[in-house]
């Protein structure tokens, strides 16, 4: 049996294999030549003290033990060409991993994606960045791979089911992700690497007899006697099925409207909303690492911060070290921000959503919209920001200290947000309770992270698509909709996930439940 060891080492040693072997051999009182292999199981950074350390969990294999490199392979997926069909609406992580699980269980997925494939999406991303043109079906939120493909590829999750998390991570590695994601405390693939992995997943689905249909937007869900019977697409085609996984993501407003129109029960859900703050990465490094220069062995530093302000949580969300801010509108007449990092996280700036928790009572001015009240609250802010910034994809922006002092910034430097910014007093964008909470919150952040509150930080508004403003209720055991048999609300859009990993896990769960009903 290998010997397990928990150690703290310097950043240099953590990045130098021979130094690590020499150090470990001394710790275990043996010669370097007696150690056959050291396997790093987990790695994290401890920056609480001035001397920054890496925490390593290791397995040590000595020469008299058998060691074989773990080979991570895909499951033996069967051919399902002639098997029972299940419609999967949405090709984000929930939909794609649901499709893979269906195949593994001997069922045929028909994946319907309103947007384009990952390569086709690139032209539309260029159009929104450079020309300010929004394709409502193909953008940062919609298209193959979902929102995560071109908006960072973080694999962080709060899921407590480690086995489920490890299964998803291993599947991603089998499809081409770096094995480092199995080790890092905060794994990240990167927007530049995810598209190829997504393509390979799609190719596997098709190779096994499943279908993936792009530019196929669902415009109706057929229901007979409170049971699904199929869907209708935007070109009038009908596809029949008795099982539908609805994995459309948190921005599919037309799906929420369709369900509400058909009297299929949905409900408003609290979410969070705020701004995206951009700092120089060197400044965040100096705050987090307590040094002037982080050196070659430390990665660009992330940060995570949360405060209670006026009885509400205000916190960092989707923090992107060495990253950029992207335009994520899904319709004309609105602006939305998000952030992403390439795999190397080598950009000069760091950005993070800084958002405030909202409550159902905050949506009272929109109560005439019923369960869509939160969505309309969200939509109004995005549309107001668009109008104030000049009715393009430019966003309202303000220097951070200026915002806390209600002062319009005299100038806004060029930021990583390619469409550009317009200097606005951001209090004009948000309701007064939200503005006041953020102003006090940034002051509190500055006390916890010395140097964070600075006019070198630029706030971009709004960060509004943190999670779905609607929940599609489902039975806790069957995972079917509480009213419609055969309909499986799934992932972020239904209110049951919050990121790539949790959405993928939820997709698998729904597929497993469907297989149980058909066995």
């Amino acid at each position: 049996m290998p010997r397990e060891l928990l150690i703290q080492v310097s950043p240099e040693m953590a990045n130098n294999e021979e130094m690590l072997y020499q150090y470990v051999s001394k710790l275990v009182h043996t010669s370097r030549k007696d150690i056959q292999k050291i396997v790093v199981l987990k790695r994290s950074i401890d920056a609480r003290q001035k001397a920054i350390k890496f925490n390593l969990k290791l397995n040590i294999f000595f020469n008299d033990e058998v060691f074989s490199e773990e080979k991570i392979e895909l499951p033996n997926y069967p051919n399902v060409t002639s098997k029972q069909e299940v419609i999967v609406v949405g090709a984000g992580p929930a939909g794609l991993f649901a499709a893979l699980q269906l195949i593994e269980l001997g069922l045929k997925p028909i994946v319907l994606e309103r947007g384009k494939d990952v390569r086709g999406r690139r032209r539309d991303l260029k159009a929104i960045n450079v020309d300010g043109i929004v394709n409502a079906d193909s953008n940062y939120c919609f298209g193959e791979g979902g929102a995560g493909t071109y908006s960072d590829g973080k694999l962080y999750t709060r899921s407590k089911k480690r086995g489920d998390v490890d299964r998803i991570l291993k599947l991603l590695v089998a499809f081409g992700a770096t094995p480092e994601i199995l080790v890092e405390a905060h794994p990240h693939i990167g927007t530049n690497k995810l598209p190829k992995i997504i393509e390979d997943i799609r190719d596997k689905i098709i190779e096994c007899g499943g279908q993936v249909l792009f530019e196929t937007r669902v415009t109706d869900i057929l229901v007979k006697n409170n049971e699904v019977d199929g869907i209708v697409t935007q070109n009038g085609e009908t596809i029949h099925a008795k099982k539908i996984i609805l994995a459309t993501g948190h921005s599919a407003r037309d799906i929420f409207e369709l369900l509400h129109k058909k009297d299929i029960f949905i409900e408003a859900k609290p979410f969070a909303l705020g701004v995206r703050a951009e700092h120089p990465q060197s400044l965040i490094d100096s705050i987090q690492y307590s040094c002037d220069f982080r050196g070659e062995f430390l990665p660009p530093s992330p940060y995570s911060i949360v405060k209670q302000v006026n009885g509400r949580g205000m916190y960092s969300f989707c923090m992107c070290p060495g990253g950029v801010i992207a335009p994520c509108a899904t319709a004309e007449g609105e602006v939305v921000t998000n952030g992403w990092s390439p795999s190397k996280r080598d950009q000069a700036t760091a950005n993070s959503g800084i958002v405030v928790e909202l409550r159902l009572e905050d949506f009272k001015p929109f109560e005439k919209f019923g369960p869509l009240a939160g969505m309309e609250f969200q939509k109004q802010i995005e549309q107001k920001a668009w109008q104030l910034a000049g009715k393009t994809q430019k966003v309202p922006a303000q220097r951070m200290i200026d915002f806390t002092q209600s002062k319009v910034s005299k100038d806004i430097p060029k930021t990583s947000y390619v469409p550009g910014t317009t200097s606005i007093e951001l209090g004009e964008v948000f309701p007064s309770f939200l503005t006041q909470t953020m102003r006090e919150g940034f002051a509190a952040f500055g006390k916890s992270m010395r140097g964070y509150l600075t006019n070198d930080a630029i706030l971009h508004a709004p960060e509004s698509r943190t999670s779905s403003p609607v929940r599609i209720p489902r039975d806790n055991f069957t995972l079917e909709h509480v009213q419609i048999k055969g309909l499986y609300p799934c992932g972020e859009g239904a209110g049951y996930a919050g990121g790539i990993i949790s959405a993928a896990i939820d997709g698998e769960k729904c597929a497993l439940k469907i297989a149980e009903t058909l066995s």
Side-chain angles (χ1 to χ4, degrees), residues 48 91 129 249 291 294 353 399 452 460:
R48 291 173 296 179
N129 271 291
C291 60
R294 73 169 186 266
R399 292 178 182 268
Y452 183 88
H460 303 64

Side-chain angles (χ1 to χ4, degrees), residues 102-114:
L102 288 168
I103 292 171
E104 197 172 344
L105 296 165
L107 298 170
K108 178 181 177 178
I110 302 176
V111 182
L112 310 178
E113 171 53 53
R114 70 191 298 158

Side-chain angles (χ1 to χ4, degrees), residues 310-350:
N310 298 330
R312 296 176 186 265
M314 177 169 162
Y315 56 92
S316 54
F317 169 84
C318 183
M319 195 275 150
C320 301
V324 300
I325 300 176
C328 293
T330 53
E332 293 287 354
E334 66 186 28
V335 290
V336 180
T337 65
N338 199 349
W340 62 270
S341 299
S343 57
K344 291 184 179 178
R345 293 177 159 172
D346 54 1
Q347 303 300 298
T349 52

Side-chain angles (χ1 to χ4, degrees), residues 119-134:
R119 292 186 184 275
R121 287 177 77 181
R122 290 174 181 166
R123 289 187 291 274
D124 297 312
L125 299 186
K126 181 179 178 182
I128 192 172
N129 271 291
V130 177
D131 304 315
I133 298 171
V134 180

